[in-house]
């Protein structure tokens, strides 16, 4: 294993531990408020993402599977972050974007499980994850920034 892959493994492992610790603290403090629930979902997505990243470096022969795990974690974050901000700002529970966003999230997760978001994944000798976009990436590419822009609005 090259030094850069060791470095990226340590970085991914540290991120996994930090996100998991924050998730445990959030759950321990209670999920009574909507912002806390969405923050826990966001952190859960980041735990899944960092676990996938760590395992991609530790088991590069299974890079495709672990990349799908990473993408599943990343897919949750825009909607969870949007919900967190809406809850934190005390905006209405009847948000018109949550249900359509959840449907697009579920479709994205289904497409990801089928390998349609990312294709040809490998880990280079320098430790970089090399991949190409799959045919369903345009859907995900619209969903992700849409909710990021809504947060800014």
């Amino acid at each position: 294993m090259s030094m850069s892959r060791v470095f990226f493994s340590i970085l991914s492992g540290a991120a996994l531990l930090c996100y998991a610790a924050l998730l445990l603290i959030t759950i321990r403090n209670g999920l009574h408020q909507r912002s806390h629930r969405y923050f826990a979902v966001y952190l859960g997505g980041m735990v899944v993402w960092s676990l996938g990243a760590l395992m991609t470096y530790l088991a590069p022969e299974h890079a495709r599977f672990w990349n799908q795990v990473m993408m599943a974690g990343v897919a949750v974050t825009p909607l969870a972050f949007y919900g967190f901000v809406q809850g934190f700002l005390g905006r209405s529970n009847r948000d018109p974007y949550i249900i359509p966003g959840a449907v697009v999230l579920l479709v994205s997760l289904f497409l990801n499980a089928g390998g349609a978001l990312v294709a040809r994944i490998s880990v280079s000798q320098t430790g970089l994850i090399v991949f190409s976009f799959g045919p369903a990436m345009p859907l995900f590419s619209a969903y992700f920034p849409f909710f990021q822009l809504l947060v800014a609005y």
Side-chain angles (χ1 to χ4, degrees):
M1 186 183 288
S2 69
M3 283 302 287
S4 58
R5 278 193 32 209
V6 169
F7 172 74
F8 289 132
S9 297
I10 292 170
L11 194 61
S12 298
L16 175 62
L17 292 175
C18 290
Y19 286 128
L22 283 171
L23 179 59
L24 291 174
I25 291 168
T26 301
I27 291 170
R28 187 170 161 235
N29 286 331
L31 301 175
H32 307 295
Q33 294 180 10
R34 184 170 52 137
S35 60
H36 293 181
R37 289 189 298 273
Y38 277 110
F39 187 58
V41 172
Y42 177 83
L43 289 172
M46 297 309 291
V47 165
V48 170
W49 171 75
S50 53
L51 172 67
L54 175 63
M55 292 308 297
T56 299
Y57 292 115
L58 295 179
E61 65 276 7
H62 301 293
R64 181 173 181 79
F65 171 76
W66 289 114
N67 187 270
Q68 288 175 315
V69 170
M70 283 179 14
M71 287 300 295
V74 168
V76 171
T77 60
L79 187 60
F81 185 64
Y82 173 76
F84 164 74
V85 170
Q86 298 306 303
F88 183 78
L89 294 176
R91 296 198 176 145
S92 171
N93 288 337
R94 298 177 192 212
D95 192 300
Y97 299 110
I98 294 293
I99 291 176
V103 169
V104 173
L105 169 61
L106 291 174
V107 169
S108 295
L109 291 173
F110 178 75
L111 292 170
N112 180 50
L117 290 182
V118 180
R120 294 188 298 274
I121 300 117
S122 63
V123 180
S124 72
Q125 292 296 345
T126 60
L128 297 177
I129 298 173
V130 180
F131 62 92
S132 61
F133 294 128
M137 187 52 84
L139 171 68
F140 189 73
S141 297
Y143 156 75
F144 201 94
F146 178 76
F147 279 97
Q148 297 302 313
L149 291 171
L150 279 179
V151 166
Y153 176 70

